[in-house]
Amino acid sequence: MAEIKRVGVIGGGLMGHGIAQVSATAGYDVVLREVDQGAIDKCMGKIQKQLARAVEKGKSTQEDADAILARITTTSDYGELADCDLVIEAISESLPAKLEMWKEVDAIVKPEAFFASNTSSLAIIDQAAQTSRPERFLGLHYFNPAQVMKLVEVIRAVTTSDEAFEAGLEFARSQKKLAIPTKDKAGFIVNRLLVPYMLDAIRAYEEGVGSVDEIDDAMKAGAGHPMGPLTLADFVGLDTMGSICDVLFDEFRERRFAQPPTLRKMLSAGWYGRKTGKGFYDYSGESPVPNPGI
Ligand code: CAA
Ligand code: NAD
């Protein structure tokens, strides 16, 4: 089996920065591609902050943190991905954007390299089939925050070869993740179940069953969840949530996957959750407070 040593990560947002960090921590050389220097600085700032915190807490040595950082190189040039053995994309949840990106990358990266998508919802085959290597294409779905969450769903498209699928499982395990294989069905396992749950929380809010913080506090105290569903939606990013809903609704045509009106209005207002400072909560103060605008 082809050995993976050099990993390309495309997109350094919420997910990409975490995937780059866990890959470098597991000893891989990482090439991270973002759109411009501003996005690269933001991404590397987050990684540096987390590594510094691990050193402060005594969970890592300065030497190890420096070595992890030294294994990550950044670029806005697709050309630098040419020698990667595996390229993982973590750009926005938009099929046209992902296809445009793969067109560039497929033409540059060596033919024996594996390609993987971290998509939350899109069927993997829809990306795989548009590249010259559908048999070397799979899904590697990490969870937010990738540095902490144990799971990686390893998704096998109808075209994925045994070699590529095994390489994906082994890669996730080498990062000390729990690799769970899933079929290539929109939303896979976790989002198939988790997204309708978050959407139902929004509907419960719309129906006046409870306020934003009452719904969150109830699910934390009553179901043992680490975050309430509306806090979690803000954490995932409401723009990403909206895109996931559209993909799942389009696939299954079931009301439970449709965007509730409150979510649609929030997206129109540009309230994408924690990443923009406003979502179900307002994050501008010392601690989050329910957003009075919704
Ligand atoms: N990035 C990196 N590391 C983070 C982090 C972040 N955003 N937030 C917390 N951490 C780390 C902390 O550094 C800390 O690490 P150490 O134990 O090594 O010190 C650890 O996580 C615990 O952090 P805290 O004590 O500050 O906070 P916590 O105990 O409340 O845990 C949490 C934070 C892990 C995020 C927890 O609240 C949680 O599990 N929330 C639910 C997350 C979840 O459900 N994610 C899945 C979302 S769905 C998805 O990802 C799929 C999709 O396609 C949309
Ligand atoms: P994000 O908006 O935080 O980050 C996306 C990043 O991609 C941005 O920094 C943007 O500048 C960059 N980008 C866009 N086009 C690019 C290109 N052509 N080349 C390089 N960089 C590019 O989004 P995110 O939350 O990190 O989501 C990324 C992917 O991961 C999506 O497919 C999403 O569905 C999936 N995902 C998200 C979560 C989550 O909780 N947010 C969890 C698992 C999977």
Side-chain angles (χ1 to χ4, degrees):
M1 189 188 292
E3 199 187 347
I4 295 172
K5 285 187 175 160
R6 195 171 166 82
V7 177
V9 177
I10 307 184
L14 265 181
M15 294 310 295
H17 91 276
I19 296 170
Q21 188 181 327
V22 295
S23 299
T25 303
Y28 296 98
D29 289 325
V30 174
V31 184
L32 184 125
R33 197 265 167 178
E34 254 293 352
V35 288
D36 56 31
Q37 194 57 43
I40 290 173
D41 292 345
K42 210 170 146 194
C43 166
M44 290 311 292
K46 281 192 270 187
I47 296 177
Q48 277 159 353
K49 203 167 148 194
Q50 278 145 20
L51 290 173
R53 207 163 43 202
V55 173
E56 250 170 55
K57 286 183 179 170
K59 298 199 166 183
S60 174
T61 63
Q62 189 61 52
E63 206 183 5
D64 283 348
D66 291 344
I68 292 167
L69 267 185
R71 280 195 285 274
I72 305 176
T73 54
T74 56
T75 183
S76 56
D77 173 9
Y78 284 118
E80 295 197 26
L81 298 165
D83 285 340
C84 288
D85 305 301
L86 165 69
V87 177
I88 308 173
E89 75 78 22
I91 72 168
S92 322
E93 188 73 341
S94 151
L95 185 60
K98 289 187 196 287
L99 293 183
E100 200 181 310
M101 176 276 298
W102 284 126
K103 203 170 161 192
E104 301 260 2
V105 174
D106 195 27
I108 288 167
V109 177
K110 61 185 182 187
E112 63 271 31
F114 300 112
F115 286 173
S117 173
N118 180 54
T119 177
S120 296
S121 56
L122 293 161
I124 299 301
I125 188 60
D126 293 344
Q127 294 176 65
Q130 298 301 315
T131 69
S132 64
R133 58 190 97 189
E135 71 292 344
R136 302 186 83 72
F137 202 115
L138 73 156
L140 285 175
H141 185 210
Y142 289 78
F143 290 79
N144 183 17
Q147 297 90 334
V148 182
M149 305 308 280
K150 281 297 287 181
L151 178 64
V152 177
E153 290 178 320
V154 181
I155 303 128
R156 183 171 199 152
V158 282
T159 50
T160 308
S161 65
D162 288 346
E163 185 195 2
F165 185 60
E166 288 302 323
L169 290 169
E170 200 178 293
F171 179 70
R173 288 176 189 140
S174 75
Q175 298 173 332
K176 301 198 176 78
K177 298 292 186 192
L178 174 68
I180 295 194
T182 89
K183 282 209 175 137
D184 189 19
K185 198 101 201 254
F188 320 117
I189 296 174
V190 173
N191 285 340
R192 170 81 176 256
L193 303 177
L194 187 62
V195 171
Y197 156 68
M198 289 189 274
L199 296 180
D200 248 348
I202 301 175
R203 291 189 189 102
Y205 167 74
E206 286 173 341
E207 289 167 20
V209 180
S211 64
V212 165
D213 44 349
E214 283 164 350
I215 290 171
D216 275 348
D217 288 346
M219 289 310 292
K220 282 197 291 180
H225 292 189
M227 281 176 174
L230 301 172
T231 298
L232 184 58
D234 274 358
F235 186 64
V236 164
L238 300 181
D239 51 341
T240 303
M241 276 279 293
S243 304
I244 298 172
C245 290
D246 292 347
V247 172
L248 293 177
F249 184 75
D250 197 39
E251 181 81 5
F252 300 112
R253 302 281 159 178
E254 288 177 34
R255 180 182 177 269
R256 66 197 176 109
F257 296 116
Q259 286 192 30
T262 301
L263 178 60
R264 288 205 296 106
K265 283 183 206 156
M266 293 171 81
L267 294 180
S268 296
W271 294 343
Y272 295 167
R274 217 188 258 200
K275 66 169 94 168
T276 55
K278 228 180 223 184
F280 287 98
Y281 293 86
D282 183 328
Y283 297 89
S284 56
E286 205 139 280
S287 50
V289 292
N291 178 355
I294 56 167

